[in-house]
Amino acid sequence: MIIILLLLLLLTVWTSLDFIFGRRLHIKQLNVRTYPVRESYINPFTSGPKLFQDYFNELKKAEKHIHVLFYILKDDEISLEFMSILKEKAKEGVEVRLLLDWLGCLKPRRHIKKQFENTGVQLAFSRVPKFPFLFYSFNTRNHRKITVIDGKVGYLGGYNVGKEYINHDKKLNPWRDYHLKIQGEGVQDLQDVFLMDWQSAAKVSIHYHDPYFPPLEKGPYRHQLIPSEGFHLEKTFTKLIRQAEQSILIGTPYFIPGKKVFSELEAALKRGVNLEILVPGTADHPLVKEASYPYLRKLIPQGATIFQYKKGFYHAKILIIDDKVCDIGTANFDKRSFYLNHEINCYTYDKKYIEEVLKILKKDQKNAHVMTQKDLYPLSPWALCKEYTARAVSLFL
């Protein structure tokens, strides 16, 4: 027993020091990229089957290059169809690069590698854990979802590639998410983010090749791409919330904000800002619901309205401030996205676009239950134990 306790103590000390010094190095090496406000055509998708029908059609039309980054790629039917399209395009002479997160594709990684052997598809894995800070690097995931086709068509948002995203998972069916198709000026910034991530993972710099940055026309919607690397996002969200005068609308699968962001939400409520938060009723990961309860429990008495989605699984990531700024992207409203993950979000400033997105969000609120304090209190010792555990590990959920 003494030996076991000593081993646990050593493990705790090692992981703590690993995390502290790994975090310091991470911040020191941050690559903060700031993009200007662009004007593009933006089409939001909220249905997996419709998104992938459009997405696969655009992939098949590629003539020069396809650049894809996903956090998760499975080895099921839709994943095999996706990989088949990439292989066929590479066979046609199209440059195909596929970048996947090392941990997000941990289980099917060997199968994925085998699928692309000798096909012409260039495959790389992002954020591979490495010494000396193994524990910290294991937790800093590339959670971005980016596709750029011929430098002219781009996609980003909450969808990965797998059967659950097209409503073929019994527990999480239907899957509700938001994903954006961008055509116009903004695609060049999406391309820039991908190429930087590709250089980091594949150790190959192809950044300044002209074919990847063709001339692009302007579209009707003013927007700005905001990439983050486990640091910058908290600052931008805090600034947006602080500027809110009338309303803050949040949709997220995981509501686990840090102290700074949560304090700003409380301050907004005190100055009379309407706060509405939409979260899923069904969880796709252990403890994420329990980790949100302490925050939601404090907000309801202060006037916040909490909606719990009931028509399937809600995985969308959205923030709307005063109907003036709308953020849709890959980042969840949680500590992992704020402090660890590499994410990419799209802030849009066009009134007409925001009105359309608001209709989507309000529809999802209608398919939700308004939570009360009674919904947020543990009803058993086991539920209470889960909540305390969730609090302790909330950064890593």
Side-chain angles (χ1 to χ4, degrees):
M1 180 61 72
I2 293 175
I3 293 173
I4 293 173
L5 289 173
L6 284 173
L7 288 173
L8 288 173
L9 178 61
L10 286 172
L11 181 63
T12 302
V13 171
W14 170 70
T15 53
S16 299
L17 292 175
D18 182 296
F19 189 87
I20 291 169
F21 289 106
R23 178 70 175 168
R24 288 181 185 177
L25 181 64
H26 180 180
I27 293 173
K28 185 179 179 180
Q29 295 178 343
L30 274 176
N31 183 17
V32 179
R33 281 161 280 173
T34 303
Y35 296 110
V37 175
R38 306 287 193 184
E39 296 176 23
S40 301
Y41 296 89
I42 304 177
N43 183 22
F45 285 87
T46 59
S47 161
K50 289 182 179 179
L51 167 66
F52 282 102
Q53 181 181 12
D54 182 89
Y55 180 57
F56 286 174
N57 285 338
E58 291 289 357
L59 289 175
K60 291 173 184 177
K61 291 190 291 185
E63 297 177 349
K64 297 180 180 179
H65 67 266
I66 295 172
H67 292 159
V68 178
L69 163 58
F70 278 114
Y71 177 65
I72 293 172
L73 172 61
K74 299 290 185 67
D75 56 0
D76 49 24
E77 187 175 345
I78 187 173
S79 303
L80 291 173
E81 182 181 356
F82 167 69
M83 288 187 276
S84 177
I85 293 171
L86 295 187
K87 288 186 287 187
E88 186 59 34
K89 297 309 294 186
K91 187 178 178 180
E92 293 173 10
V94 175
E95 289 184 29
V96 180
R97 293 178 177 86
L98 176 61
L99 181 58
L100 302 170
D101 183 78
W102 181 88
L103 184 61
C105 295
L106 183 62
K107 187 176 180 180
R109 190 166 67 239
R110 184 177 296 179
H111 178 259
I112 292 169
K113 285 182 177 180
K114 188 175 181 180
Q115 282 287 320
F116 290 119
E117 281 180 1
N118 304 315
T119 63
V121 175
Q122 300 178 59
L123 175 66
F125 291 92
S126 185
R127 308 303 303 168
V128 178
K130 58 184 179 181
F131 291 101
F133 307 116
L134 192 62
F135 177 73
Y136 186 82
S137 61
F138 181 85
N139 279 286
T140 54
R141 310 315 321 153
N142 192 333
H143 193 244
R144 294 169 180 154
K145 296 94 179 172
I146 294 173
T147 295
V148 179
I149 301 167
D150 291 340
K152 297 178 181 180
V153 179
Y155 293 86
L156 79 137
Y159 282 97
N160 289 289
V161 184
K163 67 178 183 180
E164 61 266 46
Y165 305 103
I166 55 169
N167 307 329
H168 289 180
D169 184 293
K170 291 181 180 179
K171 179 185 176 183
L172 304 174
N173 179 38
W175 185 284
R176 188 66 168 174
D177 220 327
Y178 306 158
H179 213 88
L180 303 180
K181 180 181 182 180
I182 300 176
Q183 294 170 285
E185 286 187 332
V187 178
Q188 63 188 298
D189 300 332
L190 208 56
Q191 182 83 288
D192 187 66
V193 176
F194 175 86
L195 292 176
M196 292 292 287
D197 282 350
W198 180 262
Q199 180 177 337
S200 175
K203 310 305 178 187
V204 177
S205 177
I206 53 173
H207 204 90
Y208 300 106
H209 289 207
D210 290 339
Y212 304 139
F213 295 94
L216 298 168
E217 63 177 286
K218 290 187 176 183
Y221 300 140
R222 295 174 63 251
H223 68 98
Q224 187 175 20
L225 290 177
I226 310 290
S228 58
E229 298 183 3
F231 184 78
H232 186 57
L233 186 64
E234 182 188 50
K235 183 178 179 180
T236 59
F237 271 23
T238 299
K239 183 179 179 181
L240 286 175
I241 294 167
R242 191 175 295 154
Q243 293 172 345
E245 297 177 348
Q246 298 176 340
S247 63
I248 301 170
L249 308 180
I250 299 169
T252 180
Y254 320 119
F255 185 78
I256 315 171
K259 290 182 180 179
K260 288 184 180 179
V261 174
F262 187 72
S263 295
E264 290 297 336
L265 291 176
E266 290 186 303
L269 285 167
K270 288 177 182 177
R271 62 177 183 267
V273 175
N274 176 53
L275 174 61
E276 297 178 6
I277 302 170
L278 176 60
V279 295
T282 302
D284 65 333
H285 293 299
L287 303 179
V288 289
K289 286 177 66 174
E290 289 79 10
S292 71
Y293 286 173
Y295 298 102
L296 300 178
R297 201 178 287 139
K298 291 179 181 178
L299 291 177
I300 290 177
Q302 297 181 62
T305 303
I306 313 300
F307 297 90
Q308 191 176 55
Y309 193 71
K310 293 297 184 180
K311 195 177 180 181
F313 177 62
Y314 187 81
H315 189 254
K317 306 94 165 51
I318 185 169
L319 172 66
I320 302 178
I321 305 292
D322 290 343
D323 300 351
K324 295 178 180 178
V325 182
C326 174
D327 164 52
I328 292 178
T330 69
N332 300 306
F333 210 91
D334 68 357
K335 294 179 182 179
R336 171 166 282 282
S337 288
F338 292 161
Y339 306 137
L340 292 172
N341 285 350
H342 290 218
E343 307 280 6
I344 184 164
N345 286 26
C346 181
Y347 293 8
T348 310
Y349 307 102
D350 185 86
K351 184 177 180 181
K352 184 179 178 182
Y353 170 86
I354 295 174
E355 286 176 353
E356 292 302 312
V357 174
L358 271 170
K359 291 178 184 177
I360 295 170
L361 183 59
K362 291 300 180 181
K363 179 182 177 181
D364 289 341
Q365 287 181 346
K366 289 179 181 179
N367 289 317
H369 157 73
V370 177
M371 299 184 76
T372 65
Q373 289 288 61
K374 185 179 179 180
D375 298 317
L376 295 166
Y377 277 94
L379 300 177
S380 68
W382 172 239
L384 188 62
C385 180
K386 287 172 67 178
E387 184 171 319
Y388 278 114
T389 303
R391 289 187 191 185
V393 298
S394 60
L395 176 60
F396 307 108
L397 294 177

